[in-house]
Amino acid sequence: MVHLTIIPKEDEIRDGLDLPLTSALKMVHLQLADDEDRLTTSVYGSKFAAADLPRHEMPDEEMPKEVAYRMIKDELSLDGNPLLNLASFVTTYMEEEAEKLMTEALPKNFIDYEEYPQTADIQNRCVSMIGRLFNAPVKDAEASSAVGTSSVGSSEAIMLAVLAMKKRWKNKRIAEGKPYDKPNLIMSSAVQVCWEKATRYFEVEEKFVYCTPERYVIDPKETADLVDENTIGICCILGTTYTGEYEDVKAVNDLLVERGLNTPIHVDAASGGFVVPFVVPDLEWDFRLENVVSINVSGHKYGLVYPGVGWVVWRSAEYLPQELVFNINYLGADQASFTLNFSKGASQVIGQYYQLIRLGKHGYRAIMSNLTRTADYLAESLAALGFIIMSKKSGQGLPLVAFRLQEDPDRVYDEFALAHQLRVRGWIVPAYTMAPKTEGLRLLRIVVREDFSRNRCDGLISDIRSCQGILEQMDKESIKKQQEFIHKHHVISGKASHNHPKYRKEKHSLQGKTGKTHSIC
């Protein structure tokens, strides 16, 4: 039954409350809330909603939890939409059950093996599953079996692998009575910036195999030709960040074997490690090749876990020098540790285990197959619009599409202008300047992730066509002004305050030396 009520008049309210005359008179005056704010109204009626959020100094007084949550949530709403961020490989979707498990594990310090033995065992299960996925040797003797660990991402995993290669090379040189002050590492000029960081931080000379306008990966012969007595290892990338192409690890391995060189190969499988075993399982790139000694992979990319987990596996303990591993008694348990950090949350490792057992090989294969089909469809559609496709199709590379505009002297806009125009429509599709020695080649890249459906793909294609139409109606000066406006007011890098003046325009990296744009992972 619906009950009807009469809205009382002001005098009826006063009569009903039997207010004194002084109180009634106050009601006709402006009344503002005082500082004793008890949050009896909504969050937006509190004093905190009418004040700036603290930015530089911790406030003296506390605020109610509801207000803190809402104010920060509102602030974060100004971020981009992760679903429209086609620049990143990082996972943006997980099932509710996985999220619940990860949330429940937030209080756990992963490194405390004594207190959380089951969590530590779950990490070991993940290492075992991933090692077997990469065809790691499994032998009776512990010293001959593969070893591995989790990390906070592929960057840490790569740092650990470089440290292991350098230390092993140094030990060998010392044993031979030879100098060990000039180690070098061979890699493609298309490497992700973490490789440059590793060589810089650990004082290893970089030997680059440069890309060309026609080749965007390493050349196996040129790679093998660069090997000398000071080479600690070779980096091969299973899916470059620019075009997603797989470098020919087998060709590099076979050349080394043919020449009698036992130079270690580390495979950077950050993106491809969870794709290739399911889409092209016969491709030889992993521990089936005798010179491959270590592999890293990102759990938070095509491993389908939210950001914060990576993995690194060594062929055997022989390739991880003992002096890098610390045996420590911490919080009640003896443990072997090889990490750059110590304490970390357990949530991401739990999330990885959930995905591995929830999806299984069949589930991963189904998802990666769909991503490959969507990437092929997108590539064909963009080719039909007149773009040059730079990435590989049909599983020969990662599920992404790298493309560029046709050469046209009459066109007044470039790839960066198109990227800016798409940004206005909400899409984040990055434009890059290719690796050095590619004649300033520019490209756009779209990463196809699990939550990038065919329907969303059609929406993107439609918007690309619309943006091209808008740009084609503009003159060069108008495009320039529009790009400047978007960069200043719409793109956050245009108003970034986190780059200290002292460190701008550095000249020691590939980007600083050549103008190469590091692609987003």
Side-chain angles (χ1 to χ4, degrees):
M1 176 181 250
V2 178
H3 296 274
L4 296 176
T5 184
I6 298 172
I7 300 174
K9 299 175 184 178
E10 292 297 325
D11 57 347
E12 291 174 332
I13 295 174
R14 287 195 294 271
D15 292 340
L17 294 175
D18 195 24
L19 294 173
L21 181 60
T22 54
S23 298
L25 288 174
K26 285 182 180 178
M27 295 182 67
V28 302
H29 298 294
L30 179 63
Q31 297 184 41
L32 299 179
D34 60 20
D35 289 336
E36 297 300 317
D37 194 323
R38 303 298 183 188
L39 194 63
T40 54
T41 179
S42 77
V43 168
Y44 299 108
S46 71
K47 66 179 181 182
F48 302 100
D52 288 335
L53 278 177
R55 293 179 182 272
H56 304 292
E57 186 174 339
M58 185 185 297
D60 293 327
E61 303 295 334
E62 69 273 20
M63 67 171 64
K65 60 182 185 294
E66 300 89 348
V67 175
Y69 172 80
R70 176 51 62 178
M71 293 295 102
I72 296 173
K73 183 179 176 69
D74 288 353
E75 186 97 344
L76 293 174
S77 69
L78 300 175
D79 277 341
N81 183 346
L83 300 182
L84 302 182
N85 179 8
L86 306 181
S88 177
F89 290 91
V90 173
T91 296
T92 52
Y93 165 78
M94 291 184 76
E95 292 174 329
E96 183 180 339
E97 290 78 7
E99 291 178 342
K100 186 177 178 182
L101 277 172
M102 293 170 75
T103 300
E104 291 168 353
L106 283 174
K108 294 184 179 181
N109 182 4
F110 172 77
I111 207 68
D112 186 354
Y113 301 156
E114 177 68 17
E115 187 69 23
Y116 308 116
Q118 210 58 33
T119 298
D121 188 59
I122 282 175
Q123 183 221 227
N124 297 341
R125 297 177 199 175
C126 291
V127 168
S128 180
M129 291 179 188
I130 292 167
R132 282 175 165 80
L133 194 64
F134 298 162
N135 294 291
V138 181
K139 301 179 182 179
D140 293 334
E142 280 190 11
S144 302
S145 293
V147 294
T149 186
S150 62
S151 62
V152 293
S154 274
S155 290
E156 185 190 6
I158 286 166
M159 300 281 179
L160 298 176
V162 171
L163 274 174
M165 287 190 288
K166 182 183 178 183
K167 178 61 73 173
R168 188 166 176 268
W169 169 85
K170 180 180 177 180
N171 290 345
K172 182 174 180 290
R173 298 287 287 181
I174 291 173
E176 295 172 348
K178 296 178 180 178
Y180 51 88
D181 59 332
K182 294 182 179 179
N184 68 65
L185 182 68
I186 299 169
M187 53 189 166
S188 166
S189 61
V191 290
Q192 209 269 345
V193 70
C194 65
W195 281 97
E196 290 191 71
K197 288 182 177 181
T199 54
R200 180 58 53 90
Y201 296 166
F202 303 140
E203 298 182 323
V204 177
E205 178 193 355
E206 304 153 330
K207 279 193 170 183
F208 290 113
V209 180
Y210 287 96
C211 299
T212 70
E214 295 78 33
R215 174 178 54 78
Y216 314 128
V217 292
I218 59 171
D219 174 76
K221 183 179 182 304
E222 188 177 338
T223 302
D225 289 344
L226 287 173
V227 173
D228 61 28
E229 64 178 358
N230 291 317
T231 300
I232 67 170
I234 296 169
C235 162
C236 292
I237 310 170
L238 195 71
T240 66
T241 55
Y242 285 108
T243 65
E245 189 175 348
Y246 303 136
E247 294 191 326
D248 196 341
V249 188
K250 188 177 188 305
V252 174
N253 178 84
D254 291 351
L255 272 174
L256 295 176
V257 172
E258 182 184 309
R259 298 181 184 186
L261 299 171
N262 61 355
T263 310
I265 296 174
H266 174 88
V267 180
D268 181 358
S271 299
F274 278 109
V275 178
V276 174
F278 305 110
V279 178
V280 277
D282 294 333
L283 181 66
E284 292 184 53
W285 62 275
D286 52 20
F287 291 117
R288 286 170 288 183
L289 305 175
E290 61 182 275
N291 279 40
V292 173
V293 302
S294 52
I295 300 171
N296 71 275
V297 66
S298 291
H300 57 226
K301 293 180 182 173
Y302 290 111
L304 307 180
V305 182
Y306 287 142
V309 64
W311 305 90
V312 57
V313 182
W314 286 270
R315 174 181 288 275
S316 74
E318 173 190 352
Y319 299 98
L320 177 53
Q322 186 174 4
E323 59 264 44
L324 292 178
V325 180
F326 287 81
N327 289 298
I328 49 181
N329 187 294
Y330 180 68
L331 300 177
D334 287 321
Q335 50 192 278
S337 174
F338 182 37
T339 61
L340 295 183
N341 67 305
F342 200 61
S343 292
K344 66 178 180 180
S347 298
Q348 266 60 28
V349 170
I350 302 299
Q352 185 73 80
Y353 186 59
Y354 173 89
Q355 295 289 45
L356 291 173
I357 68 170
R358 157 76 175 95
L359 295 172
K361 293 178 180 178
H362 182 273
Y364 269 94
R365 185 174 295 110
I367 291 170
M368 301 309 155
S369 297
N370 270 352
L371 299 187
T372 301
R373 294 186 187 101
T374 302
D376 286 352
Y377 170 75
L378 177 58
E380 290 164 4
S381 300
L382 292 172
L385 290 177
F387 290 98
I388 297 173
I389 306 301
M390 301 170 65
S391 49
K392 301 289 186 180
K393 295 196 299 183
S394 304
Q396 297 180 61
L398 296 174
L400 64 78
V401 182
F403 59 105
R404 70 177 192 265
L405 294 161
Q406 297 270 6
E407 293 295 330
D408 183 356
D410 297 326
R411 189 182 58 249
V412 295
Y413 66 93
D414 62 6
E415 288 81 0
F416 288 90
L418 181 55
H420 280 130
Q421 194 65 40
L422 284 166
R423 180 68 70 93
V424 174
R425 301 182 77 90
W427 299 102
I428 301 176
V429 177
Y432 299 112
T433 301
M434 189 59 176
K437 301 193 178 182
T438 56
E439 299 178 1
L441 205 60
R442 296 175 172 182
L443 70 152
L444 295 127
R445 189 195 70 188
I446 297 169
V447 176
V448 178
R449 295 191 307 273
E450 182 183 7
D451 55 1
F452 188 69
S453 64
R454 177 72 169 264
N455 183 60
R456 193 174 299 156
C457 182
D458 284 334
L460 173 63
I461 294 166
S462 176
D463 278 349
I464 290 174
R465 189 189 304 116
S466 298
C467 289
Q468 279 189 285
I470 292 170
L471 291 169
E472 285 165 2
Q473 294 175 24
M474 299 170 66
D475 58 43
K476 193 171 184 177
E477 189 61 30
S478 298
I479 290 174
K480 181 181 177 182
K481 288 180 179 179
Q482 185 195 47
Q483 281 188 264
E484 289 174 351
F485 179 85
I486 293 172
H487 186 71
K488 185 176 181 180
H489 299 286
H490 194 77
V491 181
I492 193 64
S493 57
K495 37 188 178 178
S497 59
H498 49 262
N499 189 357
H500 193 284
K502 178 180 177 180
Y503 306 114
R504 294 174 190 163
K505 298 182 180 179
E506 48 83 7
K507 296 296 181 185
H508 55 263
S509 70
L510 273 178
Q511 178 169 310
K513 293 174 183 175
T514 67
K516 161 191 174 178
T517 309
H518 280 295
S519 50
I520 299 168
C521 283

